[in-house]
Amino acid sequence: MQSLRNLLFPFSILYDGITRARNWAFDNGYLTQEAFDIPIIAVGNLSTGGTGKTPMIEWLIEYFKGKRIAVLSRGYGRETNGYIEIGNHHTAAQVGDEPLQIKLKYGDAIVSAVCEKRVDGIKELLKNHSIDIILLDDAFQHRYVKASHYILLTSYEKLYSNDYLLPAGNLRESRKGANRAHTIVVTKCPDHLSQVEKDSMTQQLKPLKGQKVYFSTIEYGERICQSSESILLDELKLDKITAVTGIAKPAPFINFLKKQFDVKHLEYSDHHRFRESEIDNIAAQDIVITTEKDYTRLSPWDLPKVYYLPMKIKFLGEEPSL
């Protein structure tokens, strides 16, 4: 791995030059940022995928419950373009799996839309709705919008302070990009994280004065669910189940299931588009437990033996105050 990293490092230097030039242009006004007279919270990361952006957005929806909330995403992997306001009739192919998951979960409690040009998306939302706050999903590098608060996520297993720029590592931009964050959240931590470990990671991240570091873990539900019913995990009289994942980092999900079951794992790439042969294979399993995100993509096939396991973010100790 180290030899491959050394081979790719010159390309990382080139990539670093490009991203630094872009950030310099924004910082010095050569590329324009647009601000809006409404609170806008941007959630994102420095690395590619798998840091828990969707659970963080859902935590923020709960945090701001009672306000008129809009969630704006790019809609990664969708087959459409432009601004689309998401409804229950849309599919993951039309609007992206994560935006659809959020809309189906919260319904009329939020307005949800996708638009690759976030400035245009915000203007459409403000034109069509009375909104108190906008949450931008996966928007840390989308600098055409000047958000009022930036939340930077980094995974416990791979802090951005220990990573390298693409293609030698997984960083989308230099570690210095973390300076734009107001709040830093270390995600997917072990349930019992000592203060010594928290202090050590905080030292590694080197937050600026005024930046606050928080720590969170994944909390899984007690029931598996589908559109028509839910079942307590403890009531499943099975030794073996099949797990289906099409997410960036499935290990925590699989490890949780392995505490209770003998798990056969059908693993696919993040945002995977299932083919008919794969659907036939999934349908042939006795019982399937998948993630909520994957269930959103599988639901058009109406598979009666497929359930999803809900999960949410839980802060270890102090929660952010926004």
Side-chain angles (χ1 to χ4, degrees):
M1 177 62 84
Q2 186 61 47
S3 60
L4 177 60
R5 180 171 290 155
N6 292 339
L7 183 64
L8 294 173
F9 190 72
F11 298 98
S12 293
I13 295 174
L14 176 62
Y15 182 79
D16 185 31
I18 295 169
T19 55
R20 283 179 186 268
R22 180 179 184 270
N23 282 326
W24 181 89
F26 277 113
D27 293 339
N28 292 275
Y30 292 98
L31 289 174
T32 303
Q33 289 185 294
E34 190 157 351
F36 294 86
D37 294 328
I38 183 174
I40 296 176
I41 298 179
V43 175
N45 47 24
L46 293 185
S47 64
T48 54
T51 56
K53 294 182 291 295
T54 299
M56 187 71 227
I57 290 289
E58 293 181 352
W59 184 90
L60 288 167
I61 292 171
E62 298 289 346
Y63 182 88
F64 290 109
K65 185 180 290 185
K67 293 185 179 293
R68 294 165 295 185
I69 303 168
V71 179
L72 180 62
S73 307
R74 176 179 51 162
Y76 181 83
R78 63 185 173 123
E79 298 173 349
T80 58
N81 294 298
Y83 177 85
I84 299 176
E85 193 168 307
I86 304 172
N88 292 341
H89 62 283
H90 282 112
T91 66
Q94 292 171 324
V95 297
D97 49 12
E98 290 160 336
L100 182 60
Q101 171 190 326
I102 294 169
K103 179 61 179 178
L104 292 177
K105 179 176 287 189
Y106 292 98
D108 293 337
I110 63 169
V111 177
S112 186
V114 291
C115 189
E116 58 271 25
K117 294 183 178 180
R118 311 298 174 88
V119 171
D120 293 348
I122 292 170
K123 289 178 178 178
E124 285 293 323
L125 285 168
L126 296 178
K127 181 176 71 175
N128 298 324
H129 300 277
S130 177
I131 293 169
D132 295 323
I133 188 166
I134 295 176
L135 308 178
L136 296 183
D137 184 20
D138 195 11
F140 199 80
Q141 282 79 35
H142 194 91
R143 300 200 59 192
Y144 290 99
V145 174
K146 186 172 180 60
S148 48
H149 194 96
Y150 289 90
I151 298 177
L152 176 62
L153 309 182
T154 184
S155 175
Y156 169 84
E157 291 186 349
K158 192 70 172 180
L159 300 178
Y160 60 74
S161 55
N162 301 327
D163 206 346
Y164 300 89
L165 276 162
L166 290 167
N170 299 303
L171 296 183
R172 299 172 173 179
E173 60 172 308
S174 164
R175 300 167 191 168
K176 290 185 177 180
N179 294 348
R180 299 196 302 275
H182 298 90
T183 298
I184 300 170
V185 180
V186 181
T187 63
K188 303 183 180 181
C189 297
D191 289 338
H192 304 289
L193 190 66
S194 70
Q195 189 60 47
V196 172
E197 288 179 286
K198 290 180 181 179
D199 292 343
S200 174
M201 284 188 285
T202 300
Q203 289 175 4
Q204 292 177 61
L205 293 172
K206 297 182 175 65
L208 300 177
K209 184 179 180 180
Q211 288 181 326
K212 191 70 182 287
V213 180
Y214 299 88
F215 301 87
S216 70
T217 189
I218 295 171
E219 185 174 65
Y220 291 102
E222 297 178 345
R223 291 178 172 269
I224 54 172
C225 308
Q226 56 178 212
S227 56
S228 58
E229 66 171 332
S230 66
I231 305 172
L232 278 169
L233 276 173
D234 290 342
E235 291 180 354
L236 280 180
K237 306 302 181 184
L238 296 170
D239 295 324
K240 298 181 180 180
I241 60 101
T242 299
V244 172
T245 64
I247 57 177
K249 296 176 181 178
F253 176 76
I254 298 300
N255 290 338
F256 177 82
L257 292 176
K258 282 183 175 179
K259 294 176 183 178
Q260 191 164 340
F261 307 102
D262 180 7
V263 178
K264 174 184 176 182
H265 185 194
L266 302 181
E267 183 176 1
Y268 303 94
S269 60
D270 196 16
H271 303 282
H272 179 73
R273 293 181 183 177
F274 293 97
R275 299 188 294 268
E276 287 296 334
S277 60
E278 294 164 342
I279 294 298
D280 291 342
N281 184 30
I282 293 169
Q285 308 301 313
D286 290 332
I287 188 166
V288 172
I289 301 178
T290 189
T291 69
E292 196 166 359
K293 174 175 154 180
D294 291 308
Y295 186 82
T296 302
R297 280 180 281 115
L298 288 167
S299 56
W301 282 276
D302 191 25
L303 301 167
K305 293 185 287 186
V306 175
Y307 295 79
Y308 69 86
L309 179 65
M311 57 87 74
K312 63 181 180 180
I313 192 172
K314 182 180 77 171
F315 283 93
L316 301 172
E318 187 181 1
E319 295 185 350
S321 180
L322 303 170

